[in-house]
Amino acid sequence: MLKIDTDVKYVKGVGPRVSKILSRINIKTVEDLLFHIPVRYVDRTNIKKIKDITIGEQTTLVGTILDRSLRRTVRGKIVGEFLFSDGTGNIKLLFFNQPYLKNVLKKGTHLIIFGKIDFFKSYQIIQPEFDVIDKQEGSSKENFGGIIPVYPLTEGISQKYLRKIIRNAIDNTDLSSYNILDNKILHDCSVIQLKDALLRVHTPNSVDEGIGARKTIAFYEFLFIQTYLERRKFKTKAEGGVYIKKSDFTEKFITKLPFKLTGAQKRVTEEILEDMQTGKRMARLLQGDVGSGKTIVALISALNVIKSGYQVAFMAPTEILANQHYRKIVKYLQNSDINVELLTGGLKTSEKKTIKENLTSGKTDIVVGTHALIEDDVVFRSLGLAIIDEQHRFGVEQRSKLLNKGNNTHLLVMTATPIPRSLAMTLYGDLDISVIDEMPPGRKEIVTRWIKDDKRFELYDFIKKRINEMGDQVYVIYPLVEESEKLDLKSATLMFEEIKKYFSDIKVGLIHGRINSGEKEEVMKRFAKGEIKILVGTTVIEVGIDVPNATIMVIEHPERFGLSQLHQLRGRIGRGDKKSFCILITDRFVSDVAVKRLKIMEQTKNGFKIAEEDLKLRGPGNIYGTRQHGMPDFKVANIIEDADMLMKARECAKKIIDYDRDLKYNKLLDRFEGIDRYYRIG
Ligand code: ADP
Ligand code: MG
């Protein structure tokens, strides 16, 4: 008997040569092979004869290619015509612009085809789906009953062969570890065992059964994670949290603010306070679009904590951002007795030493900082609340490290990257979620326009005019992706040179990740002061920096960014009282998907909608523009299409944790324990 984690080469019929081929599609173990599930099924109990077909019906046919020809239409399209027969009649198959099919659909090739019957001079099917099969396969019904699974293939492996080795794997592997749930849960969640779902998905009795089995497998993939998150949430709560009382100081502070809190800010502030009064540890995600005013909510929560006698740590991903938070907080708290400090890597050792001493003695109430906060020698007297801004930029360990500097410390993580509900549940199922879904009043409009490169100089003239006549400032943003970092830096630098030349009488600055932090800071400062008018940079300016006078943002190669990231970038402008412009500039040719996405950017202002659209168009891995934020890689499940299963898994996970908290009866569910590595946070 094989085990599910056995190397796939030991499956009967595989061997070292084929296992190499399989590894190309990530099949390395028996389990990988079992989770290689059909893309669709052919219902062979329902194959028509050509003599019986009628126009307009969707039909499955089995037969042979008799003849083929390629021709070109007047418009230059290549049309492939294939004559297909099953012995009872002939039908024409038409394919457009796929000349390579000539090598696939040779005379004598046996096929299963699916498509809609058409008639033009004779019966035909335009662009049918097809699978090449073996001759005897077309006539026999052994092995898989009448329903034939069709698998995703890779070069060098045929359908028939895959079916055979999957069959061998099923027959010769101990599948008992796929009996995951006990009877009570199977019943309560009305679901079958993963083992049965796997059997059915490969050898279904009907097409519906196969499709249902796939759904069930997706359910289990979600369930592993949801159970893990539920348990984690439970543990967090069990730890207990320090008690925070509402303070008069905070009340007064709020009334003295230069603006009134929005309804959403008030509600969320209350949610956070209540959560810190339950005696349990808070673990909360604060979501809010760029500019929705998360910082002040975090600060108000911090004040309650400080006035209850504890310290607060406020961690941001970059020095620039930490600096900005620090300066703002100092300004808010001037004339109060609250001590604020800034701790970043850039400080002198002696300065750091003093700050650390003040943290240990308790003299400092709130410390703002970067990763420097989690260094080992940072010791708090009594850390009551850890706030993490732009949390997706930090890893799990970093978050834990900060939390571990206190006892029963509350956690508030913040993100401006709106996360669609389904994704939020997957990524942050262990956190409670607060959403600021309302913008402060009086924000000026940001007009977003997509233009093509041939309009570049018109754009430059417009920019020149705004700078000279209205004193505006401008960001020019370049994408920077790890895979082509060097090239990207080069193009950003080239762009900088080009712009300097074109705007010869205007000060232009350059900023990117390779510039040392002192220099970066210097350029940013000069931009903030208005000395530098045009700032060319990579996404290092994505987070943070508030320059109200910057009203124009030009984004080069916007198609290379995630929509949410574009939205985040765009949030850097429109911060003052002038109308702002975000110009997305592409080459002349862009893909259809890119066009759709650019249109969404032009038309949509709501970050959550944008994220939903992006999720639909590009899938979860791209929400942040990179994969590294740690979406779990599901083998089968798809967060969008299987959203129903995600909900079901979540409900089921709750039932499980209710009655079997330690997974005594459902042991195998913890096979995904240690899933931490999937998550930047969790
Ligand atoms: P983000 O949610 O992106 O972190 P910030 O907290 O930086 O947003 O707030 C953006 C700007 O809006 C800041 O300058 C802040 O002072 C201001 N602001 C926050 N809340 C309000 C409000 N209720 N009314 C007016 N301005 C506000
Ligand atoms: Mg912010």
Side-chain angles (χ1 to χ4, degrees), residues 516-576:
N516 75 46
S517 63
E519 222 175 301
K520 234 188 291 186
E521 207 87 350
E522 186 57 34
V523 174
M524 278 313 309
K525 259 190 213 143
R526 290 176 57 207
F527 185 68
K529 272 196 246 160
E531 272 173 45
I532 290 176
K533 295 291 182 194
I534 302 178
L535 184 61
V536 181
T538 55
T539 45
V540 289
I541 63 174
E542 170 188 349
V543 283
I545 225 69
D546 225 355
V547 181
N549 194 47
T551 55
I552 300 174
M553 175 172 284
V554 179
I555 303 180
E556 304 275 347
H557 298 295
E559 73 281 1
R560 285 167 60 184
F561 290 98
L563 288 192
S564 293
Q565 208 184 359
L566 285 176
H567 180 67
Q568 184 109 338
L569 281 167
R570 178 167 71 177
R572 296 295 109 210
I573 55 173
R575 302 211 147 213

Side-chain angles (χ1 to χ4, degrees), residues 289-291 293-295 321 324-325 389-390 414 416 544 572 575:
D289 216 336
V290 200
K294 292 183 291 297
T295 317
L321 196 54
Q324 186 174 290
H325 281 321
D389 197 16
E390 304 296 339
M414 307 200 284
R572 296 295 109 210
R575 302 211 147 213

Side-chain angles (χ1 to χ4, degrees), residues 492-512:
T493 315
L494 280 178
M495 179 55 56
F496 171 62
E497 297 298 335
E498 181 190 308
I499 288 179
K500 252 199 332 203
K501 234 186 250 157
Y502 197 86
F503 296 87
S504 53
D505 48 346
I506 289 170
K507 269 247 169 338
V508 186
L510 176 66
I511 187 169
H512 56 66

